[in-house]
């Protein structure tokens, strides 16, 4: 684990994704736990930054050609919700794969599909942790 990342911005976001991908490979559950472990130590603001950046990159990937690619490589096609989960999966592949896919969706032919190219939990890692951090003082006050 690389503890040099202490705040999340668009550059460190991709560094953290790379760390998680290197540590967990294609194990999406392990990746979620890895990211949660790293983000919880950074606090609610950084977890929210991670969530906001994830959402921004998901929005940037809302492209017709990518939806077509998702339809082709997903085992069961790609609904509206499925396309959100596909874009989260795409982000989890790392900066290089993500940017290549935005530039040319056909570049995904070189990427090994796994998990039906769907990673719903990735969309909520930062939001979940920021809510836990925010609610923690409230829990303590209630005791």
């Amino acid at each position: 684990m690389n503890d040099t990342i202490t705040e999340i911005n668009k550059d460190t976001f991709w560094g953290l994704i790379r760390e998680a991908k290197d540590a967990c490979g294609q194990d999406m559950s392990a990746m979620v736990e890895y990211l949660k472990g790293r983000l919880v130590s950074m606090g609610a603001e950084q977890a929210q930054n991670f969530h906001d950046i994830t959402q921004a990159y998901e929005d940037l990937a809302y492209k017709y050609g990518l939806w077509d690619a998702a339809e082709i490589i997903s085992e069961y096609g790609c609904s509206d919700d499925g396309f959100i989960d596909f874009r989260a999966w795409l982000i989890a592949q790392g900066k290089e794969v993500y940017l290549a896919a935005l530039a040319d969706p056909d570049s995904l032919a070189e990427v090994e599909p796994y998990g039906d190219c769907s990673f719903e939990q990735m969309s909520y890692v930062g939001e979940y942790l920021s809510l836990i951090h925010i609610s923690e003082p409230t829990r303590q006050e209630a005791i």
Side-chain angles (χ1 to χ4, degrees):
M1 191 180 299
N2 179 356
D3 291 331
T4 59
I5 297 174
T6 58
E7 70 176 74
I8 300 297
N9 58 46
K10 67 179 185 171
D11 296 319
T12 59
F13 173 87
W14 289 115
L16 188 57
I17 295 294
R18 184 178 49 252
E19 271 183 34
K21 185 77 171 162
D22 289 348
C24 305
Q26 296 181 351
D27 186 337
M28 293 186 287
S29 295
M31 188 172 194
V32 166
E33 293 308 312
Y34 184 94
L35 291 169
K36 283 181 180 180
R38 292 288 281 120
L39 290 169
V40 77
S41 68
M42 293 182 210
E45 181 179 355
Q46 300 313 313
Q48 186 62 51
N49 287 350
F50 185 88
H51 174 73
D52 293 345
I53 292 169
T54 300
Q55 297 304 302
Y57 283 131
E58 283 182 5
D59 290 347
L60 287 172
Y62 194 94
K63 294 180 175 255
Y64 181 73
L66 277 175
W67 201 325
D68 288 341
E71 284 277 346
I72 292 167
I73 63 177
S74 295
E75 187 174 341
Y76 302 106
C78 194
S79 65
D80 292 349
D81 286 345
F83 189 50
I84 294 168
D85 300 342
F86 169 80
R87 289 178 285 155
W89 176 86
L90 180 61
I91 291 166
Q93 303 318 297
K95 184 178 184 178
E96 293 76 21
V97 170
Y98 173 85
L99 292 176
L102 262 59
D104 179 14
D106 288 344
S107 69
L108 290 171
E110 303 300 317
V111 177
E112 181 181 350
Y114 63 92
D116 198 29
C117 302
S118 178
F119 196 179
E120 180 180 9
Q121 290 177 304
M122 177 69 186
S123 294
Y124 305 108
V125 170
E127 180 182 47
Y128 172 76
L129 290 172
S130 67
L131 291 173
I132 287 174
H133 279 291
I134 290 168
S135 63
E136 188 61 34
T138 306
R139 281 191 219 138
Q140 293 301 322
E141 291 167 7
I143 293 177

